[in-house]
Amino acid sequence: MANTLLMPKATAVWLVDNTALSFEQIANFCKLHPLEVKAIADGESAQGIKGLDPVITGQLSRDEIAKAEADPNLRLKLQEPKVRVPESKRRAPRYTPLSKRQDRPNAILWLVKNHQELKDAQISRLVGTTKSTIEQIRNRTHWNSASLVPMDPVTLGLCSQIDLDLEVQRASRGQPAAAPTGDTLLPASMTETLEVTDRNPTKSDDDELDADAVFAKLSSLKSTTPVDEDDDQH
């Protein structure tokens, strides 16, 4: 954690308006140029900026201000603030071991083919390459395009599966969902409302069989059937 003055320009505005400190003392404390502090005092700069009291934030004491007002050569000292400001860290570029750098084009080709939704910046973060190399591999203009073989960067150890899934998830946000392929089951809410229909949907209720007509037809058939000779003899 770094002991950093919060809102230097707003602090300078407050010191100009509420103390008798010199421009040099305020500039030294707020890390500004004395001419910039003078412009604040003249109303030419920092217009609309509300002053921030460094005493309230715990970065300066009243006694320190009084001593500095009495001695123009005294430099204000920044005290331990109530709010800790973390140090800004620059993200170092991904380091790829020499033994794995030759596999990087194969990994790029795999990502380009299998995850077309990924942007060049995301591929660059995953395998530690440049956008120009990605473009050359995508356009097949890379000097070794004929020998490249798609290889999973996770298997090659160029990135972790978690990092890959995270980048794919980020790239998929806002894209429409893929349409379902093949037949799918109907949801329960639809099947519950379906009525049971006849196996022959074209058949109406008027075409139902009449039992009396069927038996009458069978009786007529029996009456017209010839009797065997053996039966006549008996």
Side-chain angles (χ1 to χ4, degrees), residues 123-192:
I123 298 176
S124 179
R125 284 196 299 266
L126 288 171
V127 299
T129 185
T130 61
K131 292 185 179 180
S132 60
T133 303
I134 299 172
E135 184 177 357
Q136 291 173 4
I137 294 176
R138 180 181 283 112
N139 298 333
R140 308 295 294 178
T141 57
H142 190 265
W143 66 272
N144 197 27
S145 295
S147 303
L148 295 182
V149 179
M151 299 182 70
D152 189 348
V154 177
T155 304
L156 295 173
L158 294 175
C159 67
S160 65
Q161 186 65 49
I162 295 177
D163 292 339
L164 177 58
D165 294 341
L166 181 61
E167 294 294 348
V168 172
Q169 184 180 5
R170 288 176 178 173
S172 300
R173 290 175 183 173
Q175 293 187 359
T181 57
D183 296 335
T184 58
L185 294 176
L186 292 176
S189 59
M190 294 182 61
T191 57
E192 291 177 355

Side-chain angles (χ1 to χ4, degrees), residues 185-202:
L185 294 176
L186 292 176
S189 59
M190 294 182 61
T191 57
E192 291 177 355
T193 59
L194 293 177
E195 297 181 356
V196 179
T197 58
D198 296 334
R199 293 184 179 180
N200 186 7
T202 60

Side-chain angles (χ1 to χ4, degrees), residues 20-209:
L21 297 171
S22 65
F23 295 158
E24 289 76 10
Q25 287 174 311
I26 298 175
N28 179 265
F29 181 72
C30 298
K31 308 300 180 184
L32 300 174
H33 194 277
L35 293 178
E36 189 172 1
V37 178
K38 184 178 183 301
I40 293 175
D42 295 339
E44 299 175 356
S45 178
Q47 295 180 356
I49 296 180
K50 184 178 180 180
L52 177 64
D53 187 352
V55 178
I56 294 179
T57 60
Q59 296 187 300
L60 196 60
S61 66
R62 294 286 183 183
D63 295 338
E64 188 76 12
I65 294 176
K67 292 178 182 179
E69 287 176 333
D71 185 3
N73 296 322
L74 181 65
R75 294 290 182 259
L76 296 171
K77 293 182 180 179
L78 184 64
Q79 297 183 353
E80 284 293 327
K82 295 180 180 180
V83 180
R84 303 290 294 181
V85 180
E87 294 182 358
S88 59
K89 296 182 179 180
R90 292 184 178 180
R91 186 173 180 178
R94 179 184 293 274
Y95 173 75
T96 305
L98 293 174
S99 58
K100 296 181 180 179
R101 290 183 185 179
Q102 59 184 0
D103 295 327
R104 202 155 42 186
N106 296 328
I108 297 172
L109 181 60
W110 188 91
L111 292 172
V112 168
K113 285 190 171 184
N114 293 277
H115 293 287
Q116 299 180 4
E117 69 276 12
L118 289 177
K119 299 180 180 179
D120 291 353
Q122 293 178 300
I123 298 176
S124 179
R125 284 196 299 266
L126 288 171
V127 299
T129 185
T130 61
K131 292 185 179 180
S132 60
T133 303
I134 299 172
E135 184 177 357
Q136 291 173 4
I137 294 176
R138 180 181 283 112
N139 298 333
R140 308 295 294 178
T141 57
H142 190 265
W143 66 272
N144 197 27
S145 295
S147 303
L148 295 182
V149 179
M151 299 182 70
D152 189 348
V154 177
T155 304
L156 295 173
L158 294 175
C159 67
S160 65
Q161 186 65 49
I162 295 177
D163 292 339
L164 177 58
D165 294 341
L166 181 61
E167 294 294 348
V168 172
Q169 184 180 5
R170 288 176 178 173
S172 300
R173 290 175 183 173
Q175 293 187 359
T181 57
D183 296 335
T184 58
L185 294 176
L186 292 176
S189 59
M190 294 182 61
T191 57
E192 291 177 355
T193 59
L194 293 177
E195 297 181 356
V196 179
T197 58
D198 296 334
R199 293 184 179 180
N200 186 7
T202 60
K203 186 176 181 180
S204 62
D205 296 339
D206 297 338
D207 296 336
E208 293 183 356
L209 294 177

